[in-house]
Amino acid sequence: MKTMMKISVDPLTSHSTIEMRSVIVKFNLELFKLDNVVLKDNHAIIDGSHGKYSIHLGSGVIHQLGGHQINVLPVHSAGRGKIFLPFVDDDPKTAEIMSKILLFAQDHKIKDPYIMEQIC
């Protein structure tokens, strides 16, 4: 018997949540001096070395513009790591999205062969 896994996703990831994430991302872009990321509608648009990317501020889904979805699995820790980033809130999805933005804004530093295979 096949078991279907039900994924619980808030289809409306409230507009206010996305607005808050947008403010957090904007603050962090200035903090990290990233000038290759712009916010447009519900997305962070990144002009990387290996391509252009779009990260949805609600779901965290990454697409290479003009291409396909990029699969990056977040690793959630039980507690905070050694580096504190001022994400302003404790929402793990916000931290995940900000981490993906930082990663792809500096895509020339990516060493993971699984990710590199998808973007090159």
Side-chain angles (χ1 to χ4, degrees), residues 25 37-40 42-46 53-57 101:
V25 168
V37 181
V38 295
L39 300 174
K40 183 176 180 185
N42 296 336
H43 298 267
I45 308 298
I46 302 165
Y53 315 98
S54 170
I55 300 177
H56 190 269
L57 298 177
I101 291 170

Side-chain angles (χ1 to χ4, degrees), residues 9-27 39-44 55-61 87 89 91 93-94 97-98 101:
V9 176
D10 179 2
L12 299 177
T13 303
S14 80
H15 188 64
S16 61
T17 299
I18 291 175
E19 285 178 339
M20 176 58 94
R21 287 180 183 157
S22 180
V23 170
I24 292 168
V25 168
K26 185 175 181 181
F27 173 79
L39 300 174
K40 183 176 180 185
D41 301 321
N42 296 336
H43 298 267
I55 300 177
H56 190 269
L57 298 177
S59 65
V61 171
F87 290 126
D89 66 16
D91 176 22
K93 182 58 86 174
T94 301
I97 290 168
M98 191 63 227
I101 291 170

Side-chain angles (χ1 to χ4, degrees), residues 38-86:
V38 295
L39 300 174
K40 183 176 180 185
D41 301 321
N42 296 336
H43 298 267
I45 308 298
I46 302 165
D47 189 11
S49 298
H50 296 291
K52 287 187 113 172
Y53 315 98
S54 170
I55 300 177
H56 190 269
L57 298 177
S59 65
V61 171
I62 309 164
H63 281 92
Q64 192 162 27
L65 294 182
H68 56 280
Q69 181 175 331
I70 300 171
N71 295 306
V72 176
L73 300 175
V75 177
H76 297 289
S77 63
R80 287 201 183 267
K82 295 180 181 179
I83 299 173
F84 171 73
L85 298 175

